[in-house]
Amino acid sequence: MTIGLSDLALYAGALVILFFTPGPVWMALTARALSGGFNAAWPLALGVVVGDALWPLLAILGVTWIVSVFDGFMTALRVVASGIFLLMGYLLIRHADRSVASDSRLTRPGMWAGFAAGVAVILGNPKAILFYMGVLPGFFDLTRVTVPDIAAIMVISIVVPLIGNLCFSLFIGRVRAILTSPLALRRTNITAGVLLIIVGLVIPFT
């Protein structure tokens, strides 16, 4: 390896700071955790891993042309992702008095729905690659990295956000577990629905 542990540690610290910056992923995790607990949120966190692996790899490989070449595709992807979250938010608000378990339209997709939502929210923000394009060169000399270097960078890029997202989902899920009254259920579902709609409205402009 051409990069040292201290460089990797500094990069991991930067990712921790990035995690604590609220954004669409936070809102999406909060919405699913409030509506279905940790079991509904952790698949989304796994879906986010796809982008957490893809964007750093593209940055390392230096494919800066992808933003311009696939600009139309990314725009379409943002629209699809936006529509998914708007629909989910609408359904939660419309059935705010019901528990999530009683609404088969929300529970039927299950784990795969959460995973797909995670993929959508992270890939629906193609500017993430611009962040990595600006950050990675500041920590590593990308002209000299080897395969083990790339593997180490990608592992950190995946593991740090994943641990943060899972812990965040667990915390929100635990808070949700104490909200058992009908009024609390209604407020929880409305809050989750509003958060999902916010995600859907934000994605096209990110």
Side-chain angles (χ1 to χ4, degrees):
M1 292 180 59
T2 65
I3 56 179
L5 292 179
S6 59
D7 295 326
L8 291 173
L10 286 174
Y11 177 61
L15 288 176
V16 171
I17 295 173
L18 177 64
F19 166 76
F20 281 109
T21 303
V25 172
W26 263 40
M27 289 186 286
L29 284 171
T30 300
R32 286 192 64 89
L34 284 176
S35 63
F38 179 72
N39 288 335
W42 72 260
L44 187 145
L46 291 184
V48 171
V49 167
V50 174
D52 287 334
L54 177 63
W55 295 135
L57 178 61
L58 293 177
I60 292 171
L61 297 178
V63 287
T64 56
W65 49 267
I66 195 170
V67 176
S68 59
V69 172
F70 293 105
D71 185 58
F73 173 75
M74 292 299 182
T75 299
L77 191 59
R78 285 198 297 269
V79 172
V80 172
S82 176
I84 290 173
F85 286 105
L86 289 174
L87 177 61
M88 291 172 63
Y90 165 75
L91 290 175
L92 271 178
I93 293 174
R94 182 180 178 182
H95 303 285
D97 294 319
R98 304 181 189 177
S99 68
V100 177
S102 68
D103 191 345
S104 61
R105 285 171 297 183
L106 291 178
T107 58
R108 187 182 302 118
M111 181 179 68
W112 290 110
F115 182 83
V119 174
V121 75
I122 194 67
L123 295 186
N125 183 16
K127 286 188 178 179
I129 193 173
L130 299 180
F131 168 81
Y132 285 107
M133 286 290 185
V135 170
L136 281 177
F139 291 91
F140 315 108
D141 183 355
L142 299 184
T143 64
R144 299 176 57 244
V145 292
T146 63
V147 172
D149 294 331
I150 295 174
I153 293 172
M154 290 190 63
V155 167
I156 292 176
S157 298
I158 292 171
V159 171
V160 172
L162 178 61
I163 291 175
N165 288 334
L166 289 176
C167 290
F168 183 73
S169 300
L170 182 61
F171 171 75
I172 299 298
R174 290 289 180 85
V175 171
R176 172 187 177 275
I178 66 175
L179 302 176
T180 56
S181 71
L183 178 60
L185 173 65
R186 177 178 175 81
R187 288 177 176 174
T188 297
N189 284 339
I190 290 177
T191 300
V194 169
L195 287 170
L196 284 170
I197 289 174
I198 290 174
V199 172
L201 294 175
V202 168
I203 285 177
F205 303 100
T206 56

